[in-house]
Each structure stands twice: as structure tokens, then as C-alpha cells.
Amino acid sequence: MTETMDVTGSAIGRPLRRKEDARLLHGQTNWTDNIQLAGTLHMAVLRSPMAHAKIAHIDVSPALERPHVVAAFSAKELGELNGAVPCVWPVTDDIQMPPFHALAVDKVRHVGDCVAVVIANTKYAAADALDAIDVDYEPLPAVIDMEAALKQGSVAVHDAADGSLGTNRCYDFPLKPTGDGSFEAAVKAAGDDAVVVKRRFINQRIIAGFMEPRAVVASPMGMSNEMTVWSATQIPHVLRVLLALVTGLPENTLRIVAPDVGGGFGGKLQLYREEVLAVQIARHLGRTVKWVETRSEDMVSSHHGRDQIQDIQIAATKDGKLIGMKVDLLANMGAYLQIITPGIPLLGMFMFPAIYKMDAYEFSCTGVFTNTTPTDAIRGAGRPEATYAIERIMDELAAELGMDPLKLREMNWIKNTEFPYTTVAGLAYDSGNYEAATERALELFGYDELRAEQEQRRASGDPVQLGLGISTFTEMCGLAPSRTLGALKYVAGGWEHCTIRALPTGKIELITGTSPHGQGHETAWSQIASSILGVPVDDIEVVHGDTGRAPYGMDTYGSRSLAVGGQAIKKAAERLVEKARIIAAHQLECSPDDLDFIQGEFRVKGDPAKAQPLAAVAFEAFTAHNLPDGVEPTLQAEATVDPNDFSYPHGTHLAAMEVDVETGKVKIRKYVAVDDCGVQVNPLIVEGQVHGGLVCGIAQALYEGVEYDSDGNLLTASLADYLIPSAADLPSFITDRTETPSTTNPLGTKGIGEAGAIASTPAIINGIVDALRPMGVTDVKMPATPENVWRAIQAAQGGAQ
Amino acid sequence: MTSLYEEIPAAPPADVPTRRVTITVNGDRRTLDIEPRLLLSHLIRQGLQLTGTHMGCDTTGCGTCTVLLNGRPVKSCTVLAVQADGREVETVEGLSSAQQLHPLQEGFKQEHGLQCGYCTPGMMMAAKALLERNPNPTEDEVRWALSGNICRCTGYQNIVKAVLWAADKMREQEG
């Protein structure tokens, strides 16, 4: 397929090859680390080797003696420039929000905490001089385990002397309906018919693992008073506001550029300490300051994700009808609150009831401080944790009831005819077709044949057992209606912006507030605009990621870019056509109502030979020689759209897992993913997003997990110790789709960036547990390494003896 | 003369020992005075300004810095630049001319084998080495040949397809 679009049909729905690729394939790129400005100074960060300690003494002056060192700072030297890094989601009125400075003041609270910086003429010189800094730490006991952290008498990560309450309890968020809506009342009402299953699931801590390390260049050498900041970030617009608030620099002098950004997965949805430091020091020295992290720094200082202890109860009648659910979470905040740390588990609050109908739902979450790297959003952010818990416990309930897990799900999910449906968690699901997605998945999977093989292997005592894992998931995406965010105490809005300009040379400039870092917005957004403007995809240039060129936006996270940003593109394009119509009517000497807009040109109804292409209208708007009265020159339109609601992609994922019961080794024999993300703008890109998401979720199930020792040392501190899977660790997936258009946005689209990551983790673990259930195994610790699987088997067998 | 200290407009510091090396990069023979501890990846990126080679880690763990050294894939973040003395280095910039995509580049585009593009140059260099020694690999052989290169975006499926696409195309061109 060629990239050049004929304009006879809609560009939406075509698997166009990406416009982004040619440049990236030639290595013709602009990562933040590629930026080399004259006179740049390099920053290196001294990080705490201890999880919890008092800084008894610190002297940076010996570093100044080292060659090529220009400056060095600890919190003391930085003084008022040592800005406090904000959290914008105070989830409760009485949440503890301890101060979080860019450089640690008096105490360090996790391994990797920023203690001091050296500024030098070269990267090597800055790194070399770090060891000249003289620091005396007085070690304090570290608290790593959440339950230990909540015990009376536990050492406090932020103690009273730091102006905190001296407890590690960051917040308690209860959602406790009283009376008949309570879980207890519902179970009681069912009497002897109620079956309650209770489980504790551990959703382990993971890292984001973007391939491009974080990097920032802060340059006060811009035009006029401008401070230009290039950063490997997902959120240039949000960063601009926050950096202005933190540094006191006037927002109108800050220009933030996210150039080529090499992946984010939530890990670059952050205002990081190093960004604050680079800006403040650049401002102080009047020089450009650059910092690029090493992977070792990334592992201890880029935020981590997940890390919940989930106590779940689910109740059903004996014949399998769900009654209710009770969820009690402990959520690890780490040592400090970053941008939306406390809110992440609450995004999950809405998703525990998932696609199922029930009448009672209770939720509570306690945020806990520990001496670990702060946590925050990673691909899915709260929803993978919730989906893992509900899909796991549905399997446990099915086993308890002696039902087929698929039958149990089918019996309880919202039927296609029941949409729109308001769930017990209060979300109004607009659309969905769980039956269709499941039917298609079963076909592709060969469910009955695999069940038969499973029986055979069980009967013959095969050392390699087979298990079938199911995940019928949904998620909420498209963050978010601003009012909803306000009600949840989130400080920002959830709108998105687009400006479209028809330039006098016939080219289209599409300026979006979304900020891609691999998702293919340049191609997909061109397809949306092309379908409305009738202009070839190649004639549309998508501008993004630079607050100087794209001043308005809320950036890219939470599968929002298409679901929200797409609406702004559509609206702006339609407005542009309406303005052009008035000019065209004037040119063609007819009424605007007498014009059709077809294939990029205005045609007089009944006289199609009389026509004016959009490009000619744009040129007329540029010269402005003969515009109708009251019409301003230039042809552009903008739209800022606040979404009416979330959208709810869903799907059915099935995993056939082979488990060697002698060694604990597992293998994915077959994986089928049928996803429904509504209307697909570019199915090629959608499939790529699904693949990547799947592997992220599978990696959590099988390979990845952050480990600390009891002193708070990070044991998984390099990519040699933290296993991000490679091509050799994974199979090819069978993917397909159903298409149930969303009714919450005019394009009918739903997000797809996180779906795979949300769905796949429970499918894999359910498959492993299904294989081992006859041996008495009811859970396997993630990641399900051979060791963890083997231990689960041994523990179950020991119990049986 | 090129060294990392070229970033400083003034002369490199006298106290830093350097060593003269001759390295052929993408067919271009270069004589350079470098610090013995300089990493090959830093020489390529900063010294030679070939920024198509990326660095994703500092422990040989990710493969984004993969280049060919005398035709064999190496992770240039754990090769000292002095080790490349007298040898040939090939980077992504040497894959193709601006007009003509290498079949691997074409394959990655056709099969949507890249998203953010950060791992892509390293992937393509590792794949090039594979296809030179094995022009008709199986899916499994492609997966193992790329097992030292991490991608967080694609889930690898389309990368594997891209390499197989390129293998077909290259055999066609040969045949």
C-alpha cells in the first residue's frame, strides 16, 4: 500500500504505513540526548546509596577542585532554588503530603534519592567529580514492607520532625455503602445460598522500561526571555504549568519541547526532580544545562508502578449469580508522592466490578509510605491491578462452585442488549459486546479441543500439564471529563485541543495537544483530518510536543489521545470546512447552502463543474483580496473538547499455558486476543498497540518484578537483574477484533494503548493455576518464574500430605 | 582530532592522556585521538555525531547501541573505542542511501516493526548480521538472533515479521 491517499474514500480504517517511519529508520532523529547546544554544561546526580539515613554532613566543595567542574550543589547551596516537586492528586482531605524537594534536605528516604549535583563542561567530568563530594550518612532503619510500615511503632518515612504525622499511612480512601448496598448485608440477605471466596493477591512492583532513558536540556539562551526545556516527557503542556509553579519562572517565558521521545508507558508522565534541577541551575548559571540518565539511575529514580496487596472477597449464589464484591487495598506510594501517585489505585476502584453485574460493592484503599522509589502510573495505571484481581478471583469462584470459568463469566456479564449500563461502581458503560468478542476468541483458540487435551494430560499424568487462562476484560480510557476529575480532587482538566490551518500553498498544518512517543499520531491524526478535509494524508503535517508551536494540550496518557484528542481534530476540521464554505460561496457567487463539500472541493449543487478546491479557498483567505464582508483573513479553525464520558474498550483474551510440573517451567502454547476498541482509525497501528500491551502484561505475569532486600537495596537494579523479555521469550499472538462503536464520542473510537497490558496478566496466571489446580495450587506468585511455580506446587503438595 | 573534549571550544586538557586510533566508520576512514576509556558508543554518538546509534543502558542489557564491528554485532556501550582501532564499524547511517531503503528498513516499515523507533537501529544491525550468515532464517532463529535487543513497544511480533520480510526480499534480489 502506498502512503499517498486517493481522496475518493475515507482515510479512516485503512492500515496505512506510518509517516513517522522513514526518518526513524534512517536514524534521522532528534532525541533529547542528540541536542548539543554551544556551551552546554552537563549535570551528574549524586544519589543516596541508603534507603533511609540522616545526612549528617555534606560538603560539595571538593568536587569544585576537579577538572572542568563549574559548579556543585547540595540542598544547602541550592537554597530557595531547591523546588518542591508537586503531587496534583490529593485524593482525600486529610491526605499526608510531605514535602518533596528536588535535592534531599537533611534526610534521604530511598536508594537513589537525589543528594547533590555536579555541573561540568563534559559528561565524563561531571560523573567523575561525584565521588569527590563528601557525605556522612547516619543510617536509619528502613521500612520496605507495607504491612510492617503500618504497624504501631514502625519507623516513619516522614517523621514528626519533618512536619508529618509520624505515620506511614498516607491516606485512607473508603467507599463504603451502608445498609442494603453493603457487602455484608448482601451476603446476609442471600443466606445459605451465598458462597464467599476470599483471596489475597499480590500485584508486584514493576518498572516502565521505556528504551530511551530520561533526558533534559534546559537552555536560558532562547529568544527574548525564553527558557527552553527539551525533555523526554509524555507531558510537555502539563510540565510547563508545573515547572512555572515550582520554579516561579513566569509561565509565558517557558517553552517545553518533547522532541522524539523513545517510549513512555506512563513512566514519562511525571515532573521529575532532575527536570527541576536542570531548569533551576540553568537559570542560576545563565548557561544551558543537560542531563541524561544512565539506566542504573533510571532503575532507582524513575517512578515504579503497581505494588498493591489486594484482599478481595467475592460472593455469589450457589448457582453462580454474583452478589457482590469487597476490595481492600494496600497501595505502596514509595518514599514520596509524585505527580499522581495517590490517585493510581483509585483509578482501579472503578474497575474491580469490571464487566459483571452485581448489587453490592465496597472498596477501601490505604496508601502507604515506604523507603522505596516512588510509584506512579505505568501502562494501565490502576486498571491492570483491578482487572488482575477480578479476573483471578472469577476463576477461584468458578473452582469453588465447580463451574466452568467461562460459563460463570457469561452468566454474569452485561449483555449486549443491556447497554448503556451503569455498574455498581457508578460508571455508565456506553457500549460493548462481550458475547461477540468471546465467541470469536473461542473460535480462534479451539477451546473445546484444548480442554479435551487438558483432560488427557491430566489422566495420563503427563509431566507437562496444560491450563487454559481466561480474561474477559474492560477498561475505562480517555482521561477524562474535567468535571469527573474535579470531583475526584484531581487538579487538572481532561480536555484536548486541536488547531487546523489550511496554508496558502494548499498544505494542512494540524496542531495537536497530544504528545506521541511511539504511538503513530502523525499518521492516524492525518487520516482523521484527511477523511473530513478530503486532502491527501501526505499533505497534512501533524505538529505536536512543543508548547511554542502547539500551545494548548493535556498530552498523552490513559489511552486518551484518540478518544479525546480525536474529537478535537474532528471538530476543528469541521469548523475549518464551515469557514471555507462561506469564502467558497462568495467566490462561486452562490449561497453557502448551495455547496456540497466532496473530495476536498466545494461544488455547486446541480452544477458540479462549478467548483472550488479547499486549496484555492485557502489562498483566497491568505490574499484576502476578495473576502465576503465580516470574514477575517486566514483559514484556520480550532477546537477544545472536553469529553462527555470515558470510553470502554473490552475484549476476550485466552491463554493456553504448558506447565512442567517437575521444573516449574511454563510456556505460552497459544495466545488469542480479540479486542474491541470501537472504530479503528488505522488497524495496523491498533494491532501494534495490542502486541506491545500484551507483552507488557505478560512480562508482569512471567518475567518482571522489582525486588528490594530488607534494607531497601534495590536487587533488580539493572537490565541484567530485571528481566524485560526479549523476542526469544515470547510467542506470536493471534489477534482479531470486533467493532462496537463508542457512543461517547463522534468518531466511535475507544483507546487501545493500555488494553493489552490490562488483559493479559490475569489470562496468563489463570492458565498456570488452571494447569495446576488438580495438584491443589490456587495461586502462583508473580512473576511466575520456574522457581515461583515450583514453590507453589511444593507448597500445595506439602499441604495435601 | 576528535575527542569528547571537542565539546569544549578550548583545547582538550593537557592532563588527559589520549591514544591515536584509526577506525573505518561506514566506509569512511577516520584517525582520532581519544581517551582510552572512551566508549565506542560515545565516540559514535558524540565524537562522530552519528546519532542514529542509541544508548538505552550502561550494562549491555538492552542492545539499542548495537553496531557491526568487522561485520559482527557488538553492543557499543561495552566496547572501548580503542578496541575498534584498525577495524570497521557499521552503523544505521551506513545501511542505505537517502534514496534507497535497505530491505530491512523497508521490512520494518511494511510490517510496522517499529513504534517509538529507539531500539530500531540496534535491531536492524543485529538482523543484518543474522541475514548475512543465514539468509533464510526460521521465525525461531530470528527470535534468538534478536534476543540481546529489547523493544518495549512492539511485542516483537512485527519485528520478527519485518526481518523475515527483508530476508525474502534479499534472497529475491540475490536470486
Side-chain angles (χ1 to χ4, degrees):
Chain A
M1 172 155 323
T2 71
E3 272 180 52
T4 309
M5 285 291 309
D6 67 67
V7 292
T8 53
S10 170
I12 288 180
R14 298 194 180 193
L16 299 190
R17 271 51 186 171
R18 299 197 318 170
K19 301 167 92 167
E20 290 88 340
D21 290 354
R23 210 166 55 75
L24 295 167
L25 288 164
H26 280 112
Q28 200 184 330
T29 44
N30 193 29
W31 315 104
T32 301
D33 186 29
N34 293 7
I35 294 165
Q36 299 281 8
L37 301 177
T40 295
L41 298 173
H42 297 261
M43 180 169 89
V45 181
L46 182 71
R47 296 180 184 278
S48 171
M50 295 190 186
H52 199 192
K54 256 176 95 171
I55 303 172
H57 167 80
I58 181 161
D59 181 8
V60 297
S61 63
L64 298 172
E65 308 299 314
R66 294 292 183 90
H68 311 293
V69 170
V70 171
F73 303 90
S74 69
K76 189 170 61 184
E77 289 78 23
L78 211 51
E80 289 191 346
L81 293 176
N82 190 18
V85 182
C87 167
V88 303
W89 202 344
V91 293
T92 59
D93 290 333
D94 58 355
I95 183 173
Q96 283 205 80
M97 302 184 79
F100 177 24
H101 290 282
L103 288 180
V105 180
D106 300 332
K107 253 187 204 175
V108 290
R109 295 184 176 82
H110 69 90
V111 168
D113 211 344
C114 301
V115 174
V117 291
V118 171
I119 309 294
N121 283 316
T122 74
K123 194 182 168 93
Y124 280 29
D128 282 350
L130 289 179
D131 67 6
I133 296 174
D134 190 15
V135 196
D136 286 340
Y137 296 102
E138 275 175 20
L140 296 166
V143 59
I144 308 305
D145 178 76
M146 282 194 276
E147 290 182 304
L150 289 175
K151 286 207 176 108
Q152 192 92 38
S154 163
V155 62
V157 178
H158 301 271
D159 64 23
D162 309 324
S164 108
L165 298 176
T167 159
N168 293 315
R169 194 175 286 269
C170 171
Y171 68 88
D172 282 309
F173 189 100
L175 179 78
K176 280 205 190 304
T178 47
D180 292 348
S182 81
F183 180 75
E184 200 184 340
V187 172
K188 211 168 163 187
D192 285 348
D193 196 28
V195 176
V196 178
V197 173
K198 189 174 175 178
R199 287 285 185 277
R200 167 169 277 206
F201 296 125
I202 309 295
N203 205 282
Q204 86 274 27
R205 182 181 279 238
I206 60 171
I207 64 149
F210 37 77
M211 294 316 298
E212 180 210 17
R214 290 186 291 130
V216 58
V217 175
S219 179
M221 326 288 271
M223 290 177 287
S224 62
N225 291 318
E226 185 178 284
M227 166 79 82
T228 313
V229 182
W230 288 267
S231 183
T233 183
Q234 294 173 228
I235 53 164
H237 297 93
V238 174
L239 210 59
R240 186 181 190 218
V241 178
L242 292 180
L243 276 174
L245 291 171
V246 170
T247 64
L249 283 166
E251 188 183 348
N252 52 10
T253 64
L254 274 170
R255 176 182 173 196
I256 316 295
V257 186
D260 284 327
V261 177
F265 315 107
K268 291 173 180 169
L269 190 196
Q270 195 55 272
L271 170 62
Y272 278 108
R273 285 168 272 196
E274 296 87 352
E275 289 168 321
V276 174
L277 290 167
V279 169
Q280 294 288 55
I281 293 167
R283 168 197 197 180
H284 179 68
L285 298 175
R287 301 273 301 271
T288 300
V289 171
K290 179 174 183 174
W291 173 77
V292 181
E293 71 175 355
T294 63
R295 182 62 63 177
S296 312
E297 289 182 281
D298 174 73
M299 301 300 278
V300 292
S301 66
S302 296
H303 70 245
H304 297 170
R306 316 279 192 261
D307 204 346
Q308 291 182 358
I309 297 175
Q310 310 175 313
D311 286 311
I312 313 289
Q313 293 182 65
I314 196 162
T317 60
K318 285 187 178 127
D319 59 5
K321 187 180 176 312
L322 290 183
I323 295 170
M325 189 174 185
K326 185 168 186 295
V327 175
D328 296 295
L329 300 183
L330 295 183
N332 201 335
M333 305 285 101
Y336 303 103
L337 301 182
Q338 292 238 240
I339 189 166
I340 51 173
T341 301
I344 300 301
L346 303 187
L347 289 172
M349 169 176 72
F350 296 104
M351 295 317 300
F352 281 93
I355 65 170
Y356 307 112
K357 295 180 283 188
M358 62 185 86
D359 295 325
Y361 175 49
E362 282 182 37
F363 172 92
S364 78
C365 177
T366 298
V368 186
F369 288 115
T370 57
N371 291 113
T372 59
T373 298
T375 63
D376 210 315
I378 289 182
R379 204 168 192 169
R383 291 104 83 210
E385 297 92 315
T387 303
Y388 179 73
I390 179 71
E391 288 304 297
R392 279 288 296 114
I393 206 159
M394 285 300 277
D395 265 32
E396 297 305 303
L397 178 64
E400 183 72 26
L401 296 170
M403 285 179 76
D404 180 281
L406 195 60
K407 290 271 163 5
L408 178 68
R409 285 170 168 83
E410 208 172 346
M411 194 174 154
N412 287 287
W413 73 42
I414 303 156
K415 304 285 178 292
N416 176 245
T417 49
E418 292 174 312
F419 288 95
Y421 184 92
T422 301
T423 71
V424 69
L427 294 177
Y429 292 178
D430 65 298
S431 62
N433 192 338
Y434 311 137
E435 296 88 335
T438 302
E439 194 185 324
R440 183 67 187 131
L442 291 174
E443 258 172 52
L444 292 167
F445 194 61
Y447 188 78
D448 295 334
E449 293 84 342
L450 286 164
R451 278 276 180 232
E453 184 185 329
Q454 179 182 46
E455 279 313 310
Q456 261 170 23
R457 288 191 187 225
R458 279 180 183 172
S460 67
D462 196 318
V464 178
Q465 289 290 310
L466 182 67
L468 306 189
I470 302 164
S471 172
T472 51
F473 80 103
T474 189
E475 61 130 331
M476 58 195 267
C477 77
L479 289 172
S482 297
R483 281 181 186 177
T484 308
L485 292 174
L488 292 168
K489 298 180 185 293
Y490 180 79
V491 176
W495 47 265
E496 198 43 81
H497 179 87
C498 178
T499 297
I500 299 182
R501 296 188 179 127
L503 304 175
T505 50
K507 302 290 183 186
I508 301 292
E509 195 169 64
L510 189 162
I511 298 159
T512 177
T514 67
S515 194
H517 33 282
Q519 293 88 345
H521 292 182
E522 291 173 28
T523 304
W525 288 192
S526 299
Q527 289 179 249
I528 296 170
S530 166
S531 72
I532 297 165
L533 301 175
V535 170
V537 164
D538 279 353
D539 282 346
I540 300 168
E541 189 65 24
V542 175
V543 176
H544 58 77
D546 177 351
T547 64
R549 290 191 73 196
Y552 302 110
M554 278 293 174
D555 307 317
T556 287
Y557 44 84
S559 302
R560 69 185 305 275
S561 298
L562 175 59
V564 185
Q567 299 183 49
I569 298 166
K570 184 172 194 292
K571 202 171 210 177
E574 286 168 352
R575 285 181 176 163
L576 185 105
V577 171
E578 288 322 300
K579 178 170 182 185
R581 183 188 297 278
I582 294 165
I583 300 170
H586 185 70
Q587 289 176 299
L588 293 164
E589 298 175 333
C590 66
S591 152
D593 297 339
D594 289 338
L595 291 176
D596 287 325
F597 185 62
I598 297 167
Q599 294 182 17
E601 55 179 36
F602 292 97
R603 295 177 191 164
V604 177
K605 285 177 183 161
D607 189 3
K610 279 185 80 179
Q612 194 72 311
L614 189 64
V617 180
F619 193 75
E620 185 67 34
F622 167 70
T623 65
H625 293 167
N626 182 23
L627 292 178
D629 289 342
V631 172
E632 291 177 8
T634 75
L635 184 53
Q636 66 169 14
E638 57 178 61
T640 307
V641 172
D642 206 315
N644 294 326
D645 208 337
F646 298 98
S647 67
Y648 301 95
H650 69 84
T652 298
H653 288 212
L654 300 171
M657 303 298 298
E658 289 182 354
V659 186
D660 185 325
V661 300
E662 289 167 354
T663 63
K665 186 178 187 304
V666 302
K667 183 186 159 198
I668 303 174
R669 156 102 161 259
K670 191 172 192 179
Y671 195 103
V672 169
V674 176
D675 281 275
D676 190 325
C677 62
V679 172
Q680 300 196 357
V681 174
N682 183 325
L684 188 76
I685 291 177
V686 168
E687 193 190 29
Q689 290 291 312
V690 170
H691 287 166
L694 283 179
V695 167
C696 180
I698 291 170
Q700 183 177 10
L702 295 181
Y703 300 111
E704 297 182 20
V706 168
E707 297 279 350
Y708 285 97
D709 70 10
S710 56
D711 293 329
N713 295 302
L714 182 65
L715 301 175
T716 49
S718 78
L719 293 178
D721 304 298
Y722 183 92
L723 181 55
I724 295 181
S726 78
D729 300 314
L730 294 157
S732 283
F733 309 105
I734 300 166
T735 55
D736 202 356
R737 61 165 157 170
T738 55
E739 192 171 307
T740 312
S742 169
T743 62
T744 61
N745 72 77
L747 286 167
T749 57
K750 306 173 185 182
I752 194 62
E754 296 165 297
I758 291 169
S760 60
T761 314
I764 296 290
I765 300 296
N766 278 342
I768 296 170
V769 174
D770 184 54
L772 301 176
R773 202 176 288 282
M775 306 177 81
V777 173
T778 58
D779 198 16
V780 174
K781 184 185 168 198
M782 291 198 291
T785 57
E787 182 186 342
N788 284 340
V789 174
W790 186 85
R791 283 185 189 282
I793 296 168
Q794 299 312 308
Q797 302 269 289
Q801 287 160 11
Chain B
M1 187 161 93
T2 304
S3 84
L4 265 191
Y5 289 97
E6 209 174 52
E7 291 166 19
I8 312 170
D15 57 333
V16 174
T18 59
R19 181 160 157 197
R20 180 153 295 188
V21 295
T22 301
I23 304 174
T24 303
V25 182
N26 298 330
D28 188 11
R29 203 176 140 92
R30 306 285 296 263
T31 297
L32 310 147
D33 289 314
I34 57 172
E35 244 188 292
R37 66 170 174 169
L38 183 67
L39 300 175
L40 180 58
S41 54
H42 282 149
L43 172 70
I44 292 169
R45 285 185 53 77
Q46 270 121 38
L48 304 177
Q49 303 276 297
L50 293 170
T51 52
T53 299
H54 304 149
M55 287 188 74
C57 77
D58 36 35
T59 51
T60 328
C62 79
T64 61
C65 66
T66 304
V67 299
L68 301 185
L69 186 60
N70 279 3
R72 295 187 56 181
V74 297
K75 292 177 176 174
S76 60
C77 77
T78 26
V79 175
L80 294 169
V82 291
Q83 291 177 282
D85 188 18
R87 299 185 180 191
E88 288 188 22
V89 173
E90 193 183 338
T91 71
V92 66
E93 287 89 347
L95 260 188
S96 63
S97 66
Q99 287 76 35
Q100 184 78 41
L101 288 176
H102 185 278
L104 275 164
Q105 291 169 314
E106 214 178 323
F108 271 72
K109 178 165 182 159
Q110 285 304 322
E111 297 290 356
H112 188 29
L114 70 158
Q115 290 181 27
C116 81
Y118 201 78
C119 74
T120 313
M123 285 283 180
M124 291 194 298
M125 299 318 286
K128 183 166 190 270
L130 166 71
L131 297 184
E132 271 162 17
R133 66 172 193 274
N134 179 0
N136 194 9
T138 62
E139 175 180 333
D140 218 35
E141 285 167 338
V142 173
R143 285 184 179 274
W144 278 102
L146 300 181
S147 63
N149 294 66
I150 295 174
C151 169
R152 193 60 148 178
C153 293
T154 66
Y156 304 104
Q157 189 157 331
N158 288 347
I159 291 178
V160 173
K161 280 162 78 179
V163 175
L164 293 172
W165 190 102
D168 284 350
K169 178 86 179 256
M170 286 163 78
R171 286 199 313 279
E172 226 171 77
Q173 284 172 351
E174 291 289 310

